[in-house]
Amino acid sequence: MSWRGVDGVPAIWEEGGLEFHAGTPEDVRVVVAAMTSEVKDGLNYDAVPWERFHHAFGPGSDLPGILTRIRHSDARRADDELELLWDTVCHQGSPSAAGALAVPFLIRIALTRPHPRALRLVGALARRPHLGDGTRTGLLRTSTPPGSLTFEPSGYVGTWSVQAARQALTADADLLLPLLDHTTPAVRTATAYALSAAASPARDRITAALHARLDAENDPVTRASLVLAIGELAWEERDTATTAHTRAWWQDPTRPAEIRMSAALAWLCLVDDPIPADLDTFLDTEATDHLATLLTPVPWLQDLAEKEGLRTALTQMRNPDDYAWIADTY
């Protein structure tokens, strides 16, 4: 017995158990790993087998053409092309195999033409679809739980697509580090979001760079984003140093409100402890309409709700029994 999705999707179920063709040319992780520096640095789109994964975006879409226009068009046209690219490779927040193939090129385009939306797309492609998950186990989770699989609407293994994008990001993370010091706050924010999805061995270098930027940062949205990025990089291994830092930050009344609030969210994700009374009091006092509005552009909160991201996260974190279904679903 074998099952196929739409044209171009490899069989994912065969008699005798699941056969996902891991390690074959149908595995997007294999294709991304095989990309040479010459292909990536030279923006050699012709060397990439886009057609092998056209199920992710439709045979009529021209991803190399879109990437070229993003790089060379005027600002308005580039924005339109980025919107099209996002809708094509990360439709409704679902990363795709074709998107993973685009990550190395998006990173290099960002070096000459930094665009917050392009950097946000890199981050979105390299992490699991959150789909409204602001729980303590979900907000900073980059990958799906071990042994769990997600599928793209076409039937392709979505878990592979995210893993491939993440490995592409991790391999080229050092290229993005200088953008943490870009003159535009939105670029710094989006860079932190993208880099926070990286895996080892880049984690330690990125975390050190984020700390250095936080010490110099004066933009509230970027500050909050840097703290959440530091937390996300620590989440998989529950890094004890980061856990201690985030606790110290939310407990420090001399810190700006946006740092304290984002640190509180990060700390809650890094520990399993019940919410302590002093943190409950802090959340009741500081989660004001003003702060919620101020933090609206923070990518992690935008992933939850356009205007109610902070409140959504706090509601889910403080009432876990009401949202247990999210962890079971995603």
Side-chain angles (χ1 to χ4, degrees):
M1 171 182 174
S2 128
W3 182 90
R4 294 178 71 86
V6 298
D7 181 46
V9 181
I12 63 168
W13 176 273
E14 294 179 355
E15 190 151 8
L18 290 170
E19 290 290 343
F20 290 109
H21 302 267
T24 75
E26 294 174 332
D27 182 343
V28 68
R29 298 170 298 181
V30 170
V31 178
V32 167
M35 282 191 195
T36 65
S37 57
E38 289 78 13
V39 168
K40 296 187 289 186
D41 294 341
L43 303 179
N44 185 3
Y45 306 132
D46 291 340
V48 179
W50 306 99
E51 72 287 345
R52 195 179 303 160
F53 302 93
H54 72 69
H55 58 273
F57 57 91
S61 297
D62 174 21
L63 292 189
I66 295 173
L67 291 167
T68 298
R69 289 189 291 276
I70 290 171
R71 185 170 180 238
H72 293 295
S73 299
D74 60 39
R76 178 177 296 181
R77 177 70 182 275
D79 284 343
D80 291 342
E81 294 295 335
L82 271 168
E83 185 72 26
L84 175 60
L85 181 63
W86 193 295
D87 192 54
T88 301
V89 302
C90 198
H91 184 63
Q92 295 183 342
S94 296
S96 67
L101 298 177
V103 165
F105 302 117
L106 282 169
I107 288 173
R108 283 155 178 80
I109 290 170
L111 300 182
T112 57
R113 189 169 195 173
H115 194 298
R117 191 160 179 78
L119 292 161
R120 283 281 301 272
L121 180 55
V122 170
L125 290 166
R127 50 171 48 84
R128 72 187 182 98
H130 279 207
L131 302 176
D133 186 355
T135 64
R136 292 174 67 173
T137 57
L139 182 68
L140 300 184
R141 183 196 292 275
T142 306
S143 56
T144 52
S148 146
L149 290 172
T150 62
F151 295 91
E152 298 174 22
S154 67
Y156 191 76
V157 188
T159 303
W160 285 5
S161 300
V162 172
Q163 289 171 346
R166 195 180 186 198
Q167 79 187 48
L169 167 63
T170 302
D172 290 327
D174 288 345
L175 297 178
L176 291 178
L177 290 178
L179 293 181
L180 289 173
D181 296 320
H182 195 271
T183 55
T184 303
V187 171
R188 300 197 296 271
T189 294
T191 301
Y193 179 71
L195 286 169
S196 68
S200 296
R203 250 190 224 125
D204 290 345
R205 297 194 302 278
I206 296 170
T207 298
L210 293 171
H211 276 278
R213 181 64 236 174
L214 182 61
D215 289 341
E217 187 56 60
N218 57 16
D219 177 72
V221 171
T222 308
R223 281 174 173 165
S225 298
L226 290 165
V227 171
L228 290 172
I230 290 168
E232 181 157 336
L233 287 164
W235 191 89
E236 288 181 347
E237 297 178 3
R238 299 299 198 278
D239 176 66
T240 55
T242 298
T243 303
H245 278 129
T246 52
R247 178 161 195 150
W249 290 339
W250 71 253
Q251 288 181 326
D252 183 357
T254 67
R255 294 269 179 178
E258 66 274 5
I259 290 183
R260 296 187 70 193
M261 182 59 69
S262 55
L265 294 176
W267 183 80
L268 285 170
C269 292
L270 291 169
V271 302
D272 297 322
D273 308 29
I275 300 178
D278 56 340
L279 179 52
D280 246 340
T281 300
F282 167 76
L283 296 177
D284 286 336
T285 304
E286 297 298 329
T288 62
D289 290 342
H290 172 73
L291 185 61
T293 300
L294 179 70
L295 297 184
T296 293
V298 172
W300 289 262
L301 302 181
Q302 277 198 333
D303 287 345
L304 298 179
E306 185 68 25
K307 296 182 179 179
E308 294 294 327
L310 176 60
R311 300 202 183 284
T312 298
L314 291 176
T315 298
Q316 292 183 10
M317 289 186 183
R318 299 177 87 179
N319 303 279
D321 292 343
D322 294 339
Y323 296 93
W325 61 272
I326 294 182
D328 293 337
T329 303
Y330 308 122

Short mmCIF file of all heavy atoms in Angstrom, two decimals, residues 127-180:
data_model
loop_
_atom_site.label_atom_id
_atom_site.label_comp_id
_atom_site.label_asym_id
_atom_site.label_seq_id
_atom_site.Cartn_x
_atom_site.Cartn_y
_atom_site.Cartn_z
N ARG A 127 11.03 27.60 12.08
CA ARG A 127 10.41 27.16 13.34
C ARG A 127 9.05 26.56 13.01
O ARG A 127 8.44 26.87 12.00
CB ARG A 127 10.28 28.31 14.34
CG ARG A 127 9.66 29.55 13.77
CD ARG A 127 9.32 30.61 14.80
NE ARG A 127 10.33 30.96 15.76
CZ ARG A 127 11.32 31.84 15.58
NH1 ARG A 127 11.46 32.43 14.40
NH2 ARG A 127 12.16 32.13 16.53
N ARG A 128 8.61 25.71 13.90
CA ARG A 128 7.33 25.04 13.68
C ARG A 128 6.21 26.08 13.61
O ARG A 128 6.32 27.17 14.20
CB ARG A 128 7.05 24.07 14.83
CG ARG A 128 6.69 24.81 16.12
CD ARG A 128 6.55 23.90 17.32
NE ARG A 128 6.17 24.70 18.48
CZ ARG A 128 4.91 24.83 18.93
NH1 ARG A 128 3.94 24.20 18.31
NH2 ARG A 128 4.65 25.58 19.98
N PRO A 129 5.13 25.77 12.89
CA PRO A 129 3.99 26.71 12.89
C PRO A 129 3.38 26.79 14.28
O PRO A 129 3.03 25.77 14.86
CB PRO A 129 3.03 26.09 11.86
CG PRO A 129 3.42 24.66 11.77
CD PRO A 129 4.89 24.59 12.05
N HIS A 130 3.28 27.99 14.81
CA HIS A 130 2.77 28.13 16.18
C HIS A 130 1.25 28.07 16.24
O HIS A 130 0.68 27.60 17.21
CB HIS A 130 3.29 29.43 16.79
CG HIS A 130 4.69 29.28 17.31
ND1 HIS A 130 5.20 30.04 18.32
CD2 HIS A 130 5.69 28.44 16.96
CE1 HIS A 130 6.45 29.69 18.59
NE2 HIS A 130 6.76 28.73 17.76
N LEU A 131 0.60 28.63 15.24
CA LEU A 131 -0.86 28.54 15.15
C LEU A 131 -1.55 28.92 16.46
O LEU A 131 -2.43 28.24 16.95
CB LEU A 131 -1.26 27.11 14.73
CG LEU A 131 -0.66 26.63 13.39
CD1 LEU A 131 -1.04 25.19 13.13
CD2 LEU A 131 -1.09 27.52 12.25
N GLY A 132 -1.11 30.03 17.03
CA GLY A 132 -1.77 30.55 18.22
C GLY A 132 -1.31 29.95 19.52
O GLY A 132 -1.97 30.14 20.55
N ASP A 133 -0.19 29.24 19.54
CA ASP A 133 0.29 28.60 20.76
C ASP A 133 1.18 29.54 21.54
O ASP A 133 2.35 29.73 21.24
CB ASP A 133 1.05 27.32 20.39
CG ASP A 133 1.46 26.50 21.61
OD1 ASP A 133 1.24 26.97 22.74
OD2 ASP A 133 1.99 25.39 21.43
N GLY A 134 0.61 30.13 22.59
CA GLY A 134 1.37 31.00 23.47
C GLY A 134 1.55 30.41 24.84
O GLY A 134 1.81 31.13 25.81
N THR A 135 1.44 29.09 24.95
CA THR A 135 1.57 28.42 26.24
C THR A 135 3.02 28.41 26.70
O THR A 135 3.94 28.72 25.93
CB THR A 135 1.06 26.98 26.15
OG1 THR A 135 1.90 26.25 25.23
CG2 THR A 135 -0.38 26.94 25.66
N ARG A 136 3.22 27.98 27.93
CA ARG A 136 4.58 27.92 28.47
C ARG A 136 5.43 26.89 27.73
O ARG A 136 6.65 27.04 27.66
CB ARG A 136 4.54 27.61 29.96
CG ARG A 136 3.94 28.74 30.79
CD ARG A 136 3.77 28.36 32.25
NE ARG A 136 5.05 28.17 32.92
CZ ARG A 136 5.16 27.96 34.24
NH1 ARG A 136 4.07 27.92 35.01
NH2 ARG A 136 6.35 27.79 34.79
N THR A 137 4.81 25.86 27.20
CA THR A 137 5.56 24.87 26.44
C THR A 137 5.59 25.17 24.95
O THR A 137 6.25 24.46 24.19
CB THR A 137 4.97 23.46 26.65
OG1 THR A 137 3.59 23.49 26.25
CG2 THR A 137 5.08 23.03 28.09
N GLY A 138 4.89 26.21 24.53
CA GLY A 138 4.75 26.47 23.10
C GLY A 138 5.36 27.75 22.58
O GLY A 138 5.86 27.79 21.46
N LEU A 139 5.32 28.83 23.38
CA LEU A 139 5.70 30.14 22.85
C LEU A 139 7.13 30.14 22.29
O LEU A 139 7.39 30.73 21.23
CB LEU A 139 5.57 31.21 23.93
CG LEU A 139 5.90 32.64 23.47
CD1 LEU A 139 4.85 33.14 22.47
CD2 LEU A 139 5.98 33.60 24.66
N LEU A 140 8.05 29.49 22.99
CA LEU A 140 9.46 29.51 22.58
C LEU A 140 9.93 28.18 22.00
O LEU A 140 11.13 27.97 21.83
CB LEU A 140 10.35 29.90 23.76
CG LEU A 140 10.08 31.29 24.38
CD1 LEU A 140 11.09 31.58 25.48
CD2 LEU A 140 10.11 32.38 23.33
N ARG A 141 9.01 27.30 21.67
CA ARG A 141 9.39 26.02 21.08
C ARG A 141 9.68 26.21 19.59
O ARG A 141 8.83 26.67 18.84
CB ARG A 141 8.27 24.98 21.25
CG ARG A 141 8.66 23.61 20.71
CD ARG A 141 7.42 22.73 20.54
NE ARG A 141 6.81 22.34 21.77
CZ ARG A 141 7.19 21.29 22.52
NH1 ARG A 141 8.18 20.53 22.12
NH2 ARG A 141 6.56 21.00 23.64
N THR A 142 10.88 25.84 19.19
CA THR A 142 11.27 26.01 17.79
C THR A 142 10.83 24.83 16.93
O THR A 142 10.34 25.01 15.82
CB THR A 142 12.80 26.17 17.68
OG1 THR A 142 13.23 27.24 18.53
CG2 THR A 142 13.21 26.48 16.25
N SER A 143 11.04 23.62 17.43
CA SER A 143 10.75 22.43 16.64
C SER A 143 9.63 21.62 17.26
O SER A 143 9.27 21.81 18.43
CB SER A 143 12.01 21.57 16.50
OG SER A 143 12.53 21.24 17.77
N THR A 144 9.07 20.71 16.48
CA THR A 144 8.03 19.83 17.00
C THR A 144 8.65 18.85 17.99
O THR A 144 9.85 18.57 17.94
CB THR A 144 7.35 19.06 15.86
OG1 THR A 144 8.37 18.41 15.08
CG2 THR A 144 6.56 19.98 14.96
N PRO A 145 7.84 18.29 18.90
CA PRO A 145 8.39 17.35 19.88
C PRO A 145 9.02 16.15 19.19
O PRO A 145 8.60 15.75 18.10
CB PRO A 145 7.15 16.94 20.69
CG PRO A 145 6.17 18.04 20.48
CD PRO A 145 6.41 18.56 19.10
N PRO A 146 10.05 15.56 19.80
CA PRO A 146 10.69 14.38 19.22
C PRO A 146 9.66 13.29 18.94
O PRO A 146 8.78 13.02 19.76
CB PRO A 146 11.69 13.94 20.30
CG PRO A 146 11.96 15.18 21.09
CD PRO A 146 10.68 15.97 21.08
N GLY A 147 9.78 12.67 17.78
CA GLY A 147 8.87 11.59 17.42
C GLY A 147 7.57 12.05 16.82
O GLY A 147 6.76 11.24 16.37
N SER A 148 7.36 13.38 16.79
CA SER A 148 6.12 13.91 16.24
C SER A 148 6.37 14.42 14.83
O SER A 148 7.45 14.89 14.51
CB SER A 148 5.63 15.01 17.17
OG SER A 148 5.00 16.02 16.52
N LEU A 149 5.36 14.29 13.98
CA LEU A 149 5.48 14.73 12.60
C LEU A 149 4.33 15.66 12.24
O LEU A 149 3.20 15.46 12.69
CB LEU A 149 5.46 13.54 11.64
CG LEU A 149 6.69 12.62 11.64
CD1 LEU A 149 6.42 11.40 10.79
CD2 LEU A 149 7.92 13.36 11.14
N THR A 150 4.63 16.67 11.46
CA THR A 150 3.59 17.52 10.88
C THR A 150 3.66 17.36 9.37
O THR A 150 4.69 16.97 8.82
CB THR A 150 3.79 19.00 11.25
OG1 THR A 150 5.05 19.45 10.73
CG2 THR A 150 3.77 19.19 12.76
N PHE A 151 2.56 17.69 8.71
CA PHE A 151 2.50 17.55 7.26
C PHE A 151 2.00 18.84 6.63
O PHE A 151 1.15 19.53 7.20
CB PHE A 151 1.57 16.39 6.86
CG PHE A 151 2.08 15.05 7.32
CD1 PHE A 151 1.71 14.52 8.54
CD2 PHE A 151 2.95 14.33 6.52
CE1 PHE A 151 2.19 13.30 8.97
CE2 PHE A 151 3.44 13.11 6.94
CZ PHE A 151 3.06 12.58 8.17
N GLU A 152 2.58 19.15 5.48
CA GLU A 152 2.10 20.29 4.72
C GLU A 152 0.75 19.94 4.09
O GLU A 152 0.41 18.76 3.98
CB GLU A 152 3.12 20.64 3.64
CG GLU A 152 4.47 21.06 4.22
CD GLU A 152 5.53 21.28 3.14
OE1 GLU A 152 5.15 21.51 1.98
OE2 GLU A 152 6.72 21.19 3.47
N PRO A 153 -0.03 20.94 3.68
CA PRO A 153 -1.32 20.65 3.05
C PRO A 153 -1.20 19.70 1.86
O PRO A 153 -2.12 18.93 1.57
CB PRO A 153 -1.81 22.04 2.60
CG PRO A 153 -1.18 22.97 3.59
CD PRO A 153 0.17 22.39 3.88
N SER A 154 -0.05 19.72 1.19
CA SER A 154 0.16 18.84 0.03
C SER A 154 0.35 17.39 0.45
O SER A 154 0.22 16.48 -0.37
CB SER A 154 1.39 19.29 -0.74
OG SER A 154 2.56 19.09 0.04
N GLY A 155 0.71 17.16 1.71
CA GLY A 155 1.03 15.82 2.17
C GLY A 155 2.51 15.61 2.42
O GLY A 155 2.90 14.60 2.99
N TYR A 156 3.35 16.57 2.01
CA TYR A 156 4.78 16.44 2.26
C TYR A 156 5.06 16.58 3.75
O TYR A 156 4.30 17.22 4.49
CB TYR A 156 5.56 17.50 1.47
CG TYR A 156 7.05 17.25 1.48
CD1 TYR A 156 7.61 16.26 0.69
CD2 TYR A 156 7.89 18.00 2.31
CE1 TYR A 156 8.97 16.01 0.71
CE2 TYR A 156 9.24 17.77 2.34
CZ TYR A 156 9.79 16.77 1.55
OH TYR A 156 11.14 16.53 1.58
N VAL A 157 6.18 16.01 4.20
CA VAL A 157 6.51 16.02 5.63
C VAL A 157 6.97 17.41 6.05
O VAL A 157 8.10 17.82 5.79
CB VAL A 157 7.59 14.98 5.95
CG1 VAL A 157 7.77 14.86 7.46
CG2 VAL A 157 7.23 13.62 5.36
N GLY A 158 6.08 18.14 6.71
CA GLY A 158 6.39 19.50 7.12
C GLY A 158 7.52 19.57 8.13
O GLY A 158 8.27 20.54 8.17
N THR A 159 7.64 18.55 8.97
CA THR A 159 8.72 18.51 9.94
C THR A 159 10.08 18.58 9.24
O THR A 159 11.00 19.26 9.71
CB THR A 159 8.64 17.24 10.79
OG1 THR A 159 7.36 17.18 11.42
CG2 THR A 159 9.73 17.20 11.85
N TRP A 160 10.20 17.89 8.11
CA TRP A 160 11.44 17.95 7.34
C TRP A 160 11.72 19.36 6.84
O TRP A 160 12.85 19.82 6.84
CB TRP A 160 11.34 17.02 6.13
CG TRP A 160 11.48 15.58 6.44
CD1 TRP A 160 11.57 15.00 7.68
CD2 TRP A 160 11.54 14.53 5.48
NE1 TRP A 160 11.68 13.65 7.54
CE2 TRP A 160 11.66 13.33 6.22
CE3 TRP A 160 11.48 14.48 4.11
CZ2 TRP A 160 11.74 12.09 5.59
CZ3 TRP A 160 11.57 13.25 3.48
CH2 TRP A 160 11.70 12.06 4.21
N SER A 161 10.67 20.03 6.37
CA SER A 161 10.85 21.37 5.81
C SER A 161 11.39 22.33 6.86
O SER A 161 12.30 23.12 6.59
CB SER A 161 9.52 21.88 5.26
OG SER A 161 9.03 21.03 4.24
N VAL A 162 10.84 22.27 8.06
CA VAL A 162 11.32 23.13 9.15
C VAL A 162 12.75 22.76 9.52
O VAL A 162 13.60 23.64 9.73
CB VAL A 162 10.38 23.03 10.37
CG1 VAL A 162 10.97 23.77 11.56
CG2 VAL A 162 9.01 23.59 10.03
N GLN A 163 13.03 21.48 9.62
CA GLN A 163 14.40 21.06 9.95
C GLN A 163 15.40 21.53 8.90
O GLN A 163 16.51 21.96 9.23
CB GLN A 163 14.45 19.54 10.09
CG GLN A 163 13.74 19.03 11.34
CD GLN A 163 13.60 17.50 11.35
OE1 GLN A 163 13.81 16.83 10.34
NE2 GLN A 163 13.25 16.96 12.51
N ALA A 164 15.01 21.46 7.63
CA ALA A 164 15.90 21.90 6.56
C ALA A 164 16.15 23.40 6.63
O ALA A 164 17.29 23.88 6.47
CB ALA A 164 15.31 21.53 5.20
N ALA A 165 15.09 24.17 6.85
CA ALA A 165 15.25 25.62 6.97
C ALA A 165 16.10 25.98 8.17
O ALA A 165 16.94 26.89 8.12
CB ALA A 165 13.88 26.28 7.08
N ARG A 166 15.92 25.24 9.25
CA ARG A 166 16.69 25.51 10.46
C ARG A 166 18.17 25.19 10.25
O ARG A 166 19.03 25.93 10.72
CB ARG A 166 16.11 24.70 11.62
CG ARG A 166 16.59 25.16 12.98
CD ARG A 166 16.00 24.33 14.10
NE ARG A 166 16.36 24.88 15.39
CZ ARG A 166 16.31 24.20 16.53
NH1 ARG A 166 15.87 22.95 16.54
NH2 ARG A 166 16.66 24.77 17.67
N GLN A 167 18.46 24.09 9.54
CA GLN A 167 19.86 23.77 9.30
C GLN A 167 20.49 24.80 8.36
O GLN A 167 21.67 25.16 8.52
CB GLN A 167 20.01 22.35 8.76
CG GLN A 167 19.70 22.15 7.29
CD GLN A 167 19.71 20.68 6.89
OE1 GLN A 167 19.11 19.84 7.55
NE2 GLN A 167 20.38 20.36 5.80
N ALA A 168 19.71 25.33 7.41
CA ALA A 168 20.23 26.37 6.52
C ALA A 168 20.53 27.65 7.31
O ALA A 168 21.57 28.30 7.11
CB ALA A 168 19.22 26.66 5.41
N LEU A 169 19.62 28.01 8.20
CA LEU A 169 19.83 29.19 9.04
C LEU A 169 21.04 29.00 9.95
O LEU A 169 21.87 29.91 10.08
CB LEU A 169 18.58 29.43 9.89
CG LEU A 169 18.71 30.43 11.05
CD1 LEU A 169 19.05 31.82 10.53
CD2 LEU A 169 17.44 30.45 11.88
N THR A 170 21.16 27.85 10.57
CA THR A 170 22.26 27.59 11.49
C THR A 170 23.60 27.68 10.76
O THR A 170 24.57 28.25 11.28
CB THR A 170 22.10 26.21 12.14
OG1 THR A 170 20.84 26.17 12.84
CG2 THR A 170 23.22 25.92 13.12
N ALA A 171 23.65 27.14 9.56
CA ALA A 171 24.90 27.16 8.79
C ALA A 171 25.35 28.57 8.44
O ALA A 171 26.55 28.85 8.36
CB ALA A 171 24.73 26.34 7.51
N ASP A 172 24.39 29.48 8.26
CA ASP A 172 24.72 30.84 7.81
C ASP A 172 24.40 31.91 8.85
O ASP A 172 24.37 33.11 8.52
CB ASP A 172 23.95 31.16 6.52
CG ASP A 172 24.46 30.35 5.34
OD1 ASP A 172 25.66 30.06 5.29
OD2 ASP A 172 23.66 30.00 4.46
N ALA A 173 24.20 31.50 10.10
CA ALA A 173 23.80 32.45 11.13
C ALA A 173 24.81 33.58 11.31
O ALA A 173 24.44 34.73 11.56
CB ALA A 173 23.59 31.71 12.46
N ASP A 174 26.09 33.26 11.19
CA ASP A 174 27.12 34.29 11.40
C ASP A 174 26.98 35.44 10.41
O ASP A 174 27.37 36.57 10.71
CB ASP A 174 28.52 33.68 11.28
CG ASP A 174 28.87 32.81 12.48
OD1 ASP A 174 28.18 32.90 13.50
OD2 ASP A 174 29.83 32.02 12.38
N LEU A 175 26.42 35.17 9.24
CA LEU A 175 26.22 36.23 8.26
C LEU A 175 25.23 37.27 8.76
O LEU A 175 25.32 38.46 8.40
CB LEU A 175 25.72 35.65 6.94
CG LEU A 175 26.66 34.68 6.20
CD1 LEU A 175 25.98 34.16 4.94
CD2 LEU A 175 27.98 35.38 5.86
N LEU A 176 24.27 36.83 9.57
CA LEU A 176 23.22 37.74 10.04
C LEU A 176 23.61 38.53 11.29
O LEU A 176 22.97 39.55 11.59
CB LEU A 176 21.94 36.94 10.33
CG LEU A 176 21.21 36.35 9.14
CD1 LEU A 176 19.99 35.55 9.60
CD2 LEU A 176 20.78 37.44 8.16
N LEU A 177 24.60 38.08 12.01
CA LEU A 177 24.94 38.73 13.29
C LEU A 177 25.17 40.23 13.16
O LEU A 177 24.72 41.00 14.03
CB LEU A 177 26.16 38.05 13.92
CG LEU A 177 25.94 36.63 14.45
CD1 LEU A 177 27.25 36.06 15.00
CD2 LEU A 177 24.86 36.61 15.53
N PRO A 178 25.84 40.73 12.11
CA PRO A 178 26.04 42.19 12.01
C PRO A 178 24.74 42.98 11.93
O PRO A 178 24.71 44.16 12.29
CB PRO A 178 26.87 42.34 10.72
CG PRO A 178 27.58 41.04 10.57
CD PRO A 178 26.61 40.01 11.06
N LEU A 179 23.66 42.34 11.45
CA LEU A 179 22.39 43.06 11.34
C LEU A 179 21.77 43.36 12.70
O LEU A 179 20.83 44.16 12.79
CB LEU A 179 21.41 42.27 10.48
CG LEU A 179 21.78 42.13 8.99
CD1 LEU A 179 20.70 41.35 8.25
CD2 LEU A 179 21.97 43.51 8.35
N LEU A 180 22.27 42.75 13.76
CA LEU A 180 21.81 43.10 15.10
C LEU A 180 22.18 44.54 15.46
O LEU A 180 21.60 45.12 16.38
CB LEU A 180 22.41 42.15 16.14
CG LEU A 180 21.87 40.72 16.15
CD1 LEU A 180 22.67 39.86 17.12
CD2 LEU A 180 20.38 40.69 16.52
#
